[in-house]
């Protein structure tokens, strides 16, 4: 092995300025990138086919070009005409976005290197179409995907452009998915949502330059994606009047509170093994809560069919939703509607105890903002006082069941 050069060791403290940022002007997008794109970095945007990745990026890039950014949009999937048609539909056809329909990585690199000035952002839609003749593998394979993405990320580092790589999430594994390049990029965003619903959530899952729990909320319309700056209001807007089995959960998505409606339907089962169907929540977590209700609170629910749904196509990840789920289950089982103006949050332990969760004050404030003035939460938390919200403190699930049925 050749003798290496001696590097210079430096201390942890020093003068490192914050990186500059490129804002697109679409707030929900800028929030998720951690306050704007960082020049010279690679960003992966993954999501199911048809979820709206191309739409989002075309809108964001059009907005950016309107602020003086120099944008190149490379489409490997759609012909120029198709991209133009979409731009027209989105009302951004007049914007200064340069298009290139190309899949050959060497040709893409040659083109973007030639571009003067250096592009602020290059979008590659999608990495699955990238293809390099020097790699002896078919397009869409892991080696093609890696080599192409690597070359483009190198371009970003060398020139200071931000490179946005679009990747389709593939279910069958026939074609390589975005997972295989997650480690190469600085930021990974996923665009999620239920295709049957209008909501789309952009979520950061990795970010070397910002927090990873931020989300951006959009609504899909025929004019493209609209920003939703008050998602709770939209979710609450679709509520019908109190029916047994619905409970509002005050959740947190990143730094912002989000109210969601949990719906449960508990019905007599005619099957030996009762049915369980869960949409928008973790089915293992449901099994646990059913077991805890049965064992610790003496509620005979285990032999029933149970359907659980989170309204609006949202997916809840917080264990803090346990209490809302338990309340919805008991309410449906007993056919007693919960108070229309109540929110629920708290984690349930295997002992049946209700445990406090973080950011209580923010959750309560969001509830108050939307006119929900009762909160059923864990006892034992240092409970902040929020004007307009009455607190009902619960020690355990037996207390919750007693309160609902009283
Ligand atoms: N002509 C159209 N009119 C209204 N909505 C459309 C039209 N074309 C596409 N869409 C919407 O945009 C979505 C496709 O978004 P797109 O950005 O192409 O997804 P992706 O790039 O993630 O595959 C479709 O699922 C549909 O909801
Ligand atoms: Mg697309």
């Amino acid at each position: 092995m050749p003798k290496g050069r001696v590097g210079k060791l430096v201390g942890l403290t020093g003068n490192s300025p914050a990186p500059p940022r490129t804002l697109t002007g679409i707030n929900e997008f800028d929030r998720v990138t951690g306050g704007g794109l960082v020049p010279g970095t690679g960003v992966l945007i993954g999501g199911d086919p048809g979820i709206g990745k191309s739409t989002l990026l075309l809108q964001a890039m059009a907005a950016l070009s309107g602020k003086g950014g120099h944008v190149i949009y490379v489409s490997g999937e759609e012909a120029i005409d198709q991209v133009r048609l979409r731009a027209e539909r989105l009302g951004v056809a007049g914007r200064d976005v340069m298009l290139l329909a190309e899949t050959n990585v060497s040709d893409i690199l040659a083109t973007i290197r030639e571009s003067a000035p250096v592009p602020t952002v290059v979008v590659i839609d999608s990495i699955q179409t990238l293809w390099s003749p020097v790699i002896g593998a078919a397009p869409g394979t892991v080696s093609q995907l890696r080599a192409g993405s690597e070359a483009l990320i190198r371009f970003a580092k060398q020139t200071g452009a931000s490179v946005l790589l679009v990747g389709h999430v593939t279910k069958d594994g026939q074609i390589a998915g975005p997972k295989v390049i997650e480690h190469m990029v600085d930021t990974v965003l996923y665009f999620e949502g239920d295709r049957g619903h209008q909501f789309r959530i952009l979520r950061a899952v990795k970010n070397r330059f910002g927090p990873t729990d931020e989300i951006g909320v959009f609504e899909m319309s025929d004019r493209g994606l609209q920003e939703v700056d008050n998602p709770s209001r939209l979710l609450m807007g679709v509520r019908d009047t109190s029916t047994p089995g619905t409970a509002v959960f005050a959740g947190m998505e990143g730094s912002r509170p989000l109210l969601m409606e949990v719906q449960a339907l508990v019905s007599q089962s005619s099957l030996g093994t009762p049915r369980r169907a869960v949409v928008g929540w973790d089915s293992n977590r449901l099994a646990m809560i059913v077991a805890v209700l049965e064992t610790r609170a003496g509620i005979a629910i285990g032999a029933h069919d149970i359907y659980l749904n989170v309204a609006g196509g949202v997916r809840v990840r917080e264990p803090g939703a346990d209490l809302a789920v338990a309340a919805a289950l008991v309410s449906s089982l007993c056919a007693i509607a919960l108070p229309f103006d109540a929110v629920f949050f708290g984690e349930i332990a295997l002992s049946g105890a209700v445990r406090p969760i973080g950011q209580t004050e923010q959750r309560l404030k969001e509830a108050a903002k939307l006119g929900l003035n009762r909160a059923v939460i864990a006892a034992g938390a240092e409970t902040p006082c929020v004007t307009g919200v009455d607190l009902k403190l619960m020690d355990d699930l037996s207390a919750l069941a007693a309160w609902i049925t009283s």
Side-chain angles (χ1 to χ4, degrees):
M1 192 179 283
K3 214 166 165 209
R5 254 187 322 131
V6 179
K8 183 168 175 278
L9 298 173
V10 296
L12 263 180
T13 47
N15 252 341
S16 301
R21 301 277 185 172
T22 309
L23 291 165
T24 63
I26 296 194
N27 293 334
E28 296 294 302
F29 183 84
D30 293 337
R31 182 211 319 280
V32 179
T33 54
L37 296 166
V38 178
T41 61
V43 180
L44 170 69
I45 294 162
D48 289 333
I51 203 70
K53 301 182 292 299
S54 304
T55 306
L56 175 69
L57 288 178
L58 193 57
Q59 286 184 265
M61 292 307 111
L64 176 59
S65 75
K67 298 179 72 191
H70 184 58
V71 180
I72 300 181
Y73 189 104
V74 183
S75 176
E77 293 185 349
E78 290 160 314
I80 298 292
D81 286 345
Q82 283 174 292
V83 181
R84 284 185 176 154
L85 266 178
R86 171 179 288 134
E88 230 157 81
R89 178 164 60 83
L90 301 176
V92 297
R95 291 301 171 79
D96 196 15
V97 173
M98 302 312 287
L99 301 179
L100 174 71
E102 184 57 72
T103 57
N104 184 319
V105 181
S106 314
D107 294 351
I108 294 173
L109 283 169
T111 312
I112 57 182
R113 277 204 193 104
E114 272 296 296
S115 155
V118 172
T120 320
V121 180
V122 177
V123 175
I124 305 291
D125 190 1
S126 69
I127 51 170
Q128 271 104 353
T129 60
L130 289 179
W131 169 80
S132 169
V134 290
I135 310 281
T141 50
V142 172
S143 29
Q144 283 286 8
L145 207 82
R146 282 222 182 102
S149 306
E150 213 159 41
L152 287 156
I153 292 164
R154 212 175 311 124
F155 169 82
K157 308 269 174 227
Q158 286 164 354
T159 61
S162 301
V163 172
L164 306 189
L165 303 166
V166 175
H168 295 293
V169 172
T170 52
K171 296 231 155 59
D172 50 8
Q174 294 257 317
I175 356 177
K179 282 266 174 261
V180 303
I181 67 154
E182 276 189 359
H183 66 283
M184 293 182 199
V185 294
D186 302 286
T187 304
V188 178
L189 312 178
Y190 275 92
F191 203 35
E192 335 169 312
D194 184 324
R195 278 236 248 157
H197 287 93
Q198 72 274 38
F199 285 109
R200 300 287 182 272
I201 291 179
L202 184 67
R203 193 185 290 276
V205 297
K206 165 181 170 179
N207 195 351
R208 289 192 180 136
F209 302 98
T212 53
D213 52 1
E214 284 301 347
I215 63 161
V217 183
F218 298 88
E219 196 183 356
M220 181 60 98
S221 74
D222 54 353
R223 308 251 314 143
L225 292 155
Q226 316 287 334
E227 295 184 64
V228 177
D229 36 82
N230 192 338
S232 295
R233 182 153 289 141
L234 246 176
L235 282 176
M236 292 294 97
V238 298
R239 279 182 93 197
D240 31 28
T241 46
S242 251
T243 39
T246 61
V248 177
F249 166 53
M252 292 294 296
E253 288 285 353
S255 58
R256 50 193 339 209
L258 180 60
L259 301 187
M260 291 165 270
E261 188 180 74
V262 177
Q263 308 168 338
L265 180 65
V266 179
S267 66
Q268 209 73 46
S269 182
S270 54
L271 305 168
T273 315
R275 270 190 68 90
R276 300 276 190 267
V278 186
V279 178
W281 208 50
D282 179 18
S283 52
N284 288 326
R285 198 102 202 149
L286 172 67
M288 187 199 95
I289 291 184
V290 169
V292 175
L293 277 172
E294 181 104 24
T295 316
R296 305 290 183 195
I299 295 169
I301 187 173
H304 289 70
D305 288 340
I306 297 174
Y307 305 88
L308 191 82
N309 177 44
V310 180
V314 184
R315 191 171 166 78
V316 182
R317 290 150 206 259
E318 281 186 278
D322 289 354
L323 193 63
V325 171
L329 290 172
V330 174
S331 159
S332 176
L333 177 75
C334 306
I336 300 172
L338 298 167
F340 194 61
D341 60 350
V343 291
F344 297 79
F345 56 88
E347 186 172 342
I348 291 170
L350 286 177
S351 63
V354 182
R355 301 242 193 270
I357 56 173
Q359 291 145 307
T360 301
E361 188 169 349
Q362 271 172 286
R363 297 174 204 262
L364 293 177
K365 281 187 175 153
E366 181 76 358
K369 214 159 80 188
L370 286 140
L372 300 177
N373 37 35
R374 254 192 272 192
V376 182
I377 64 175
E382 17 76 61
T383 39
C385 207
V386 172
T387 1
V389 183
D390 287 335
L391 299 180
K392 178 78 200 158
L393 303 180
M394 294 291 169
D395 284 311
D396 55 23
L397 281 186
S398 307
L400 176 77
W403 176 74
I404 293 173
T405 52
S406 67

